[in-house]
């Protein structure tokens, strides 16, 4: 199908701009043609326009972009305000860049840099693209659901800071295949979402995914699922031109024929020559009235009619936006054609197909452009140029003024008692923070997936309350036996979601962007059972990629949670934490270490160049005397500095005396310390290193080994001085390979102990013996190294 078939003389590019012109659908359709061309040319330039020495296809998505052109043109050039935020489906990134170019938000020299170093990213990236991108997308489903959590985050910020109350819409542009993702439905089904009237999703229903044509029955099921979750559902299947045909004699039969044919047959119809349309339509279910109606049209008009879908009718789209219910979320199913207006239109394998040079030249002619001069903008004085200028002015955003930076204290003035777990210490820390540093505590927002009470957030919640989208009555307020006071209102600082970890970290990530979106930094902190960190990793990692800064706390963790058995015992999370970009992983053993490390992590949240954090905590109470905290103020500060740098030596003898060094992390430290005492009784001097963050120690080692190393102190040298080599035994309640890198610090012989197999229900000591991380196993490993 040729784009020119939808043009009239008055609609063609370059039309003179009448004074005080009203920009109607004809102007927007003209802009849409330019957007379609520019998006296709961006991909073409990346593939045909530059040298490729690797032989690896650059790629791009011309067909997936083409189906979105009218939807996005109607939004950016008529509907959006500067307060709106839009998530663009991954494969439509060329359309976003084309629009930004026409709006003056992207330099021409960037248009040929798609998927090139320093250029336009393969998918929209809030942190790496040179133009305005509201949400990073690319991990299917996560970009769309980010609009939900951004809307909720904006409400939270607005409730606390009046200057942030300028409301906008949060719009998600999705491909229909994205609705196969479970993350979509976990988010849609959360009860709080039904109250977000600022939320609008538009589904590009082109009925094609990467490898297949989407079955016909999909739409009815999807509609029902959204409606059951309280969403307004609007469907725009046919454009106004063909709808007019449906009102003529025989039109009802034509509509029935088109709507009952399988999607695959419809796709085949799009690939047929104009002269075949009539015969293909009457091949099944034809009636004399329908044939009479079709016979009144030329072959070209028949071809235009069957392609007239609602998602390409700009006038219909604009009218649809006026029917959106502002009191609840809305989804618009907009029927489109994948590859609309391109030579690959409707082809079942067009997803990654690239237009040839001849096809690009044909498209250039249809678009009034020149392949040798692909980036020409609208001529000054034309109505299209004026429409672009006015849209640019309307959408211009002011950078939010950042709130004054928080002064995070290095420590709090209170201790933690004789025996306490790091999980319990977290609850104590949050309560103490509110007393010691109320301005910092005011910025903290906690989240959990229905596990607040079991992760020791109860005291914090009792002090701060629960935030909710709307006020809710607390029917248990007069129950004297209730420990947790669950008062939900617009002033609380804890947000509770249902048991869906992807929702939790999606919200956490968006709460971590409020500093850059609206100038109001928060310190988002979420608790989650550590075994489920892996389940939540992808959306949380993607949130960090998009600029979200937050603190995720996995607790309880490891086989230390012995009675719960293998189903709730985490093995791989220490490695995950060490390997996650833009995140520091912590696993403190003692309460004071937790406090220091948590305050250090908070100081890196909500600022340019900030960094997220992952804490792995435990329910095992430890004797805090084992930490051997110095009483001298100078030495105590030295301990703190080492703790926040990644670890410290617990033994006070010269490292040169070590015959073996025992390295422990987290809950396993009592066994490590006891092993050193046992070895001493056997005549073997053992040093003890307590790591608070293997992640930071690994970074220290990398810096030391780098050609561009700094000149300052690195914690790796403090823990493992090169002049005092000794064999190492590393112990962690997690996979042993996490600490195996320490062998490279000095080239020491190393035995790494840890958990390699699924656990089982047992008591603590049995669990440690089963996995070889008990005192006897540590001592035996050390003796094997020195004797």
């Amino acid at each position: 199908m040729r784009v020119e078939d939808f043009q009239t003389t008055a609609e063609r590019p370059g039309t003179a701009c009448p004074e005080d012109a009203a920009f109607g659908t004809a102007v927007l359709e003209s802009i849409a043609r330019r957007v379609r061309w520019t998006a296709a040319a961006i991909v073409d330039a990346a593939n045909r326009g530059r040298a490729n020495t690797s032989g690896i296809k650059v790629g791009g998505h011309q067909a997936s972009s083409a189906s979105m052109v009218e939807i996005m043109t109607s939004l950016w050039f008529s509907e959006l305000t500067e307060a709106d935020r839009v998530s663009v489906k991954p494969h439509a990134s060329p359309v976003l860049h084309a629009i930004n170019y026409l709006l003056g938000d992207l330099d021409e020299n960037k248009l040929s840099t798609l998927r090139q170093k320093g250029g336009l990213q393969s998918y929209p990236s809030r942190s790496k693209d040179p133009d305005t991108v509201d949400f990073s997308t690319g991990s299917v489903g996560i970009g769309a659901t980010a609009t939900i959590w951004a809307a909720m985050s904006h409400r939270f910020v607005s409730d606390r800071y009046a200057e942030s109350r300028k409301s906008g819409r949060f719009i998600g542009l999705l491909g229909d295949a994205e609705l196969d993702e479970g993350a979509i439905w976990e988010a849609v089904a959360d009860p709080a979402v039904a109250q977000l009237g600022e939320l609008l999703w538009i589904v590009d229903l082109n009925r094609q995914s990467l490898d297949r044509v989407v079955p016909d029955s999909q739409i009815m099921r999807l509609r029902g699922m959204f409606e059951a979750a309280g969403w307004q559902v609007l469907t725009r299947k046919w454009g106004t031109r063909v709808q007019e045909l449906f009102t003529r004699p025989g039109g009802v039969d034509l509509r029935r024929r088109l709507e009952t044919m399988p999607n695959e047959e419809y796709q085949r119809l799009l690939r047929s020559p104009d002269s075949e349309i009539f015969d293909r339509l009457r091949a099944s279910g034809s009636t004399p009235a329908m044939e009479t109606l079709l016979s009144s049209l030329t072959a070209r008009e028949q071809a235009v009619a069957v392609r007239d879908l609602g998602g390409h009718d700009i006038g219909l789209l604009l009218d649809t936006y006026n029917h959106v219910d502002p009191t609840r979320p809305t989804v618009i199913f907009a029927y489109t054609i994948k590859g609309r207006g391109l030579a690959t239109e409707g082809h079942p394998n067009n997803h990654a197909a690239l237009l040839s040079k001849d096809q690009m030249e044909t498209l250039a002619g249809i678009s009034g452009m020149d392949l040798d001069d692909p980036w020409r903008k609208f001529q000054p004085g034309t109505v299209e140029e004026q429409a672009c200028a006015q849209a640019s002015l309307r959408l211009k955003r002011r950078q939010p003024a950042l709130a004054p930076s928080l002064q995070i204290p290095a420590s709090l003035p209170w201790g933690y008692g004789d025996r306490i777990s790091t999980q319990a210490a977290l609850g104590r820390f949050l309560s103490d923070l509110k007393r010691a540093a109320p301005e910092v505590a005011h910025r903290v927002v906690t989240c959990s997936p229905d596990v607040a009470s079991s992760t020791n957030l109860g005291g914090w919640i009792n002090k701060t309350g629960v935030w909710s989208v709307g006020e809710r009555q607390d029917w248990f307020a007069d129950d004297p036996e209730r420990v947790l006071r669950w008062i939900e209102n617009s002033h609380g600082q804890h947000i509770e979601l249902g048991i869906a970890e992807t929702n939790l970290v999606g919200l956490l990530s968006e709460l971590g962007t409020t500093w850059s979106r609206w100038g109001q930094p928060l310190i988002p902190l979420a608790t989650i059972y550590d075994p489920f960190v892996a389940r939540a990793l992808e959306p949380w990692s993607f949130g960090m990629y998009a600029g979200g800064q937050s603190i995720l706390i996995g607790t309880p963790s490891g086989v230390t949670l012995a009675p719960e058995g293998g189903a709730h015992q985490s093995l791989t999370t220490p490695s995950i934490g060490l390997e996650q970009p833009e995140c520091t992983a912590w696993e403190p053993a003692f309460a004071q270490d937790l406090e220091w490390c948590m305050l250090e992590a908070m100081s890196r949240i909500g600022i340019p160049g900030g960094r997220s954090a992952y804490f792995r905590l435990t329910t095992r109470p430890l004797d805090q005397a084992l930490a051997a905290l110095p009483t001298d103020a100078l030495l105590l500060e030295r301990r703190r500095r080492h703790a926040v740098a990644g670890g410290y030596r617990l033994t006070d003898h010269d490292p040169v005396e070590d015959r073996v060094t025992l390295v422990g992390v987290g809950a396993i430290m009592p066994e490590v310390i006891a092993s050193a005492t046992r070895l001493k009784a056997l005549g073997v001097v053992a040093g003890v290193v307590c790591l608070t963050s293997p992640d930071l120690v690994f970074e220290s080692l990398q810096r030391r080994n780098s050609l561009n190393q700094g000149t300052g102190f690195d914690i790796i040298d403090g823990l493992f001085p090169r002049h005092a080599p000794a064999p190492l035994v590393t112990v962690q309640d997690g996979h042993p390979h996490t600490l195996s890198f320490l062998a490279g610090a000095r080239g020491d012989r190393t035995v790494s102990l840890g958990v390699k197999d699924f656990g089982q229900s047992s008591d603590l000591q049995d669990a440690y013996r089963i996995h070889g991380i008990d005192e006897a196993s540590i001592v035996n490993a050390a003796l094997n190294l020195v004797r």
Side-chain angles (χ1 to χ4, degrees), residues 164-496:
S164 302
R165 285 181 180 165
K166 185 172 183 180
S167 60
R169 290 164 294 181
F170 295 85
I171 301 172
L173 306 180
L174 301 75
D176 49 0
E178 286 191 79
L179 296 179
D180 289 342
E181 292 288 336
I184 293 282
W185 300 109
E186 287 187 342
V188 166
D190 192 274
V193 175
Q195 301 180 63
L196 299 176
E198 62 270 46
L199 186 62
L200 171 63
W201 282 7
I202 304 175
V203 179
D204 172 18
L205 200 67
N206 60 44
R207 291 167 284 184
Q208 285 183 249
S209 61
L210 182 62
D211 296 323
R212 67 189 180 108
V213 176
V214 177
D216 326 275
S217 58
Q218 181 94 328
I219 180 61
M220 297 305 296
R221 179 173 61 87
L222 296 175
R223 285 175 53 95
M225 292 168 71
F226 275 105
E227 288 171 346
W231 290 52
Q232 178 191 23
V233 179
L234 302 174
T235 303
R236 297 298 180 259
K237 185 167 188 175
W238 301 111
T240 52
R241 295 178 179 89
V242 74
Q243 286 189 57
E244 191 278 325
L245 285 181
F246 294 157
T247 65
R248 300 183 191 179
V252 172
D253 297 331
L254 174 62
R255 182 168 192 160
R256 183 183 303 111
R257 172 72 177 101
L258 290 171
E259 293 188 347
T260 57
M261 69 171 57
N263 285 342
E264 293 84 353
E265 182 184 1
Y266 179 75
Q267 300 295 109
R268 183 64 186 89
L269 194 66
L270 299 176
R271 302 297 301 167
S272 304
D274 295 354
S275 58
E276 293 183 9
I277 299 295
F278 181 79
D279 290 334
R280 287 185 176 275
L281 285 174
R282 70 177 184 175
S284 174
S286 180
T287 66
M290 186 186 85
E291 293 183 16
T292 299
L293 174 61
L294 290 173
S295 297
S296 69
L297 307 175
T298 66
R300 172 52 50 198
E301 289 171 335
Q302 294 169 8
V304 169
V306 298
R307 288 168 167 80
D308 186 23
L309 298 183
H312 299 304
D313 189 327
I314 290 179
L316 180 62
L317 289 168
L318 295 177
D319 179 69
T320 301
Y321 303 148
N322 291 328
H323 288 84
V324 169
D325 183 352
T327 67
R328 56 179 174 151
T330 296
V331 60
I332 299 172
F333 288 102
Y335 279 71
T336 62
I337 298 172
K338 194 165 183 174
R340 162 79 166 191
L342 308 182
T344 56
E345 181 180 80
H347 194 285
N349 301 120
N350 64 7
H351 182 81
L354 298 171
L355 298 184
S356 67
K357 181 179 180 182
D358 289 344
Q359 291 171 334
M360 283 297 297
E361 287 178 340
T362 300
L363 181 63
I366 293 171
S367 306
M369 295 297 287
D370 184 344
L371 188 56
D372 294 327
D373 183 20
W375 316 126
R376 189 173 72 244
K377 288 190 175 182
F378 291 111
Q379 290 296 316
T382 61
V383 67
E384 294 91 345
E385 186 269 341
Q386 187 182 49
C388 291
Q390 289 197 9
S392 177
L393 185 63
R394 169 169 42 84
L395 297 174
K396 188 175 181 60
R397 296 175 184 169
R398 291 173 296 176
Q399 284 297 108
L402 287 177
S405 59
L406 289 174
Q407 299 301 311
I408 309 289
S411 61
L412 304 182
W414 304 288
Y416 289 90
D418 297 332
R419 292 183 63 83
I420 191 172
S421 69
T422 47
Q423 179 177 297
L426 169 68
R428 171 71 181 273
F429 164 77
L430 289 172
S431 295
D432 286 350
L433 183 69
K434 193 166 179 63
R435 288 191 294 159
E439 72 286 352
V440 176
H442 186 70
R443 295 281 175 176
V444 173
V445 52
T446 59
C447 313
S448 64
D450 201 33
V451 295
S453 56
S454 59
T455 54
N456 282 81
L457 293 182
W460 165 261
I461 293 172
N462 285 342
K463 287 188 175 183
T464 63
V466 178
W467 181 87
S468 65
V469 175
E471 299 278 343
R472 296 179 61 183
Q473 183 170 348
D474 182 8
W475 292 100
F476 289 88
D478 58 348
D479 187 343
E481 297 183 5
R482 191 180 64 167
V483 176
L484 192 62
R485 295 190 295 276
W486 204 263
I487 303 171
E488 297 183 72
N489 54 44
S490 61
H491 308 296
Q493 289 181 246
H494 176 78
I495 304 176
E496 188 84 356

Side-chain angles (χ1 to χ4, degrees), residues 614-726:
Y614 159 56
F615 281 78
R616 193 170 188 253
L617 305 185
T618 178
T619 52
R620 182 188 184 187
L622 299 190
D623 181 359
Q624 299 301 297
L626 294 175
L629 287 172
T631 55
D632 180 83
L634 180 63
L635 294 180
L636 185 63
E637 173 59 14
R638 178 180 172 83
R639 168 69 70 86
R640 186 196 69 82
R641 290 180 181 273
H642 282 207
V644 299
Y648 51 88
R649 293 184 67 92
L650 264 174
T651 44
D652 55 9
H653 62 256
D654 192 317
V656 174
E657 300 176 30
D658 285 3
R659 288 189 62 196
V660 64
T661 303
L662 309 182
V663 185
V665 185
I668 205 72
M669 283 309 299
E671 281 67 30
V672 175
I673 294 169
S675 297
T677 302
R678 180 88 169 268
L679 287 167
K680 184 177 182 180
L682 296 173
V684 177
V685 177
V688 175
V689 172
C690 177
L691 298 185
T692 54
S693 174
D695 191 357
L696 290 178
V697 176
F698 178 75
E699 288 185 9
S700 174
L701 177 61
Q702 293 290 92
R703 283 194 304 271
R704 194 186 72 183
N705 294 338
S706 173
L707 292 177
N708 58 350
Q709 64 180 6
T711 57
F713 167 79
D714 266 317
I715 191 65
I716 193 75
D717 292 322
L719 300 177
F720 309 101
R722 281 181 277 190
H723 69 275

Side-chain angles (χ1 to χ4, degrees), residues 80-85 150-151 153-170 198 393-400 514 517-520:
L80 298 181
T81 72
E82 59 89 16
D84 296 328
R85 299 293 181 267
S153 299
H154 182 257
R155 285 209 185 189
F156 180 87
V157 167
S158 298
D159 284 343
R160 301 183 71 75
Y161 308 103
E163 62 272 23
S164 302
R165 285 181 180 165
K166 185 172 183 180
S167 60
R169 290 164 294 181
F170 295 85
E198 62 270 46
L393 185 63
R394 169 169 42 84
L395 297 174
K396 188 175 181 60
R397 296 175 184 169
R398 291 173 296 176
Q399 284 297 108
T514 58
R517 290 196 192 279
W518 302 294
Q520 292 294 348

